[in-house]
């Protein structure tokens, strides 16, 4: 089966370079409160709301799917699952607008900020305990690679100074400035060896950075990371029990050929999966559901 033209040259063991992340699905106990936080705080738009499911994002790009599941309880401490959903903004001005908006609505949810060299990030915890990262990427020409790994750090960023520099009067009035999308998803896992086996060997991400014994960063197309896994609070965790929090991680590959290549790879490693004709669904070693879909085809027909 042929790979995507954007796949690394001739390789079928890795995801195509143009692979990206789709919306993160969260199971929530209080749907109205969570909509308020992400709509009025993070300044996402409600793209659709139908019964127990609400989809939030920017423009036509979904970022979060909130599923009402009041019968579930919060996950046990130190269990595997979501560490944070990282929402990528187009500019520092757009990021500043979102930070100011959520800090105004729910200032107690702010947990920290950092300059990671490749990005500037601000961290929050939503009303049900899900981690949230709001960030902006520096241009790739400013990233540094050493021995095949991206150089990242955790340097202090003064949030007030950032807002003073990049928050505009217009964005205070309307914080929905520019686009936003899921840039990466960070998971809590039980051990890194199993995470590497699943996310690198079987799914096909490539390792971009490691923190020895505690965290692994992976991506497609030499992005700094599309996914990360750490054991900081979850070392030794077993399979997840049904709980509030992470419902599904969504990965988007460029084409049906890329989806077919992944299906072949999962079959080669005897990894159980489900194919509904549009997407592949596979559980990671801790029971976190991963959905992989092909991006919609772009029509090249001339306009009428």
């Amino acid at each position: 089966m042929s790979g995507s033209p954007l796949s690394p040259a001739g390789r079928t063991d890795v995801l195509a370079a143009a692979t990206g992340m789709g919306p993160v699905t969260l199971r929530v106990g209080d749907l109205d409160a969570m909509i308020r936080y992400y709509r009025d705080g993070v300044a996402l738009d409600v793209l659709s709301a139908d019964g127990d499911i609400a989809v939030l994002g920017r423009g036509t790009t979904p970022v979060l799917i909130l599923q009402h599941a009041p019968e579930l309880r919060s996950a046990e401490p130190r269990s595997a699952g979501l560490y944070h959903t990282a929402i990528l903004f187009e500019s520092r001005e757009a990021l500043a607008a979102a930070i100011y908006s959520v800090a105004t609505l729910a200032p107690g949810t702010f947990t920290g900020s950092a300059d990671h060299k490749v990005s500037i990030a601000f961290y929050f915890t939503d009303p049900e305990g899900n981690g949230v990262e709001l960030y902006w990427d520096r241009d790739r020409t400013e990233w540094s690679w050493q021995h095949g790994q991206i150089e990242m750090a955790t340097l202090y960023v003064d949030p007030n100074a950032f807002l003073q520099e990049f928050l505009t009067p217009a964005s205070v009035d309307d914080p929905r400035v520019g686009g936003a999308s899921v840039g990466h998803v960070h998971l809590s896992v039980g051990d890194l060896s199993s995470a590497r086996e699943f996310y690198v060997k079987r799914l096909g991400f490539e390792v971009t950075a490691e923190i020895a014994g505690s965290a692994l960063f992976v991506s497609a197309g030499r992005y700094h990371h599309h996914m990360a896994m750490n054991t900081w609070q979850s070392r030794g965790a077993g399979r997840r029990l049904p709980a509030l929090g992470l419902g599904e991680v969504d990965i988007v590959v460029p084409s049906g050929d890329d989806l077919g290549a992944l299906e072949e790879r999962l079959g080669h490693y005897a990894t159980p999966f489900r194919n509904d004709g549009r997407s592949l669904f596979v559980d990671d070693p801790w029971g976190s559901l991963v959905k992989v879909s092909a991006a919609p085809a772009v029509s090249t027909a001339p306009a009428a």
Side-chain angles (χ1 to χ4, degrees), residues 10 37 113 121 157 203 206 243 279 284 297:
Y37 183 81
S113 56
V157 171
L203 278 192
E206 297 179 273
S279 306
D284 82 358

Side-chain angles (χ1 to χ4, degrees), residues 77-90:
R78 307 193 67 80
S79 61
L82 183 69
Y83 188 71
H84 62 234
T85 299
I87 303 173
L88 174 63
F89 291 85
E90 288 183 348

Side-chain angles (χ1 to χ4, degrees), residues 142-248:
E142 300 180 50
W143 301 358
S144 177
W145 293 82
Q146 299 289 336
H147 307 294
Q149 295 211 353
I150 189 75
E151 184 179 350
M152 294 191 288
T154 300
L155 309 173
Y156 177 68
V157 171
D158 183 331
N160 291 316
F162 185 85
L163 290 178
Q164 287 174 359
E165 184 172 1
F166 296 107
L167 186 65
T168 66
S171 64
V172 170
D173 293 335
D174 182 5
R176 288 165 174 79
V177 180
S181 60
V182 175
H184 63 269
V185 178
H186 197 145
L187 301 179
S188 296
V189 300
D191 71 275
L192 295 188
S193 176
S194 299
R196 182 190 292 267
E197 170 73 20
F198 179 79
Y199 286 100
V200 176
K201 188 173 182 179
R202 301 188 182 207
L203 278 192
F205 282 114
E206 297 179 273
V207 175
T208 57
E210 295 182 70
I211 300 174
S214 66
L216 181 69
F217 301 82
V218 302
S219 83
R222 286 173 67 84
Y223 187 54
H224 53 73
H225 65 295
H226 285 113
M227 295 196 70
M229 307 94 207
N230 76 68
T231 59
W232 298 328
Q233 300 166 4
S234 55
R235 187 178 301 277
R239 197 166 179 87
R240 299 173 59 203
L241 298 174
L244 297 174
L246 180 65
E248 182 179 284

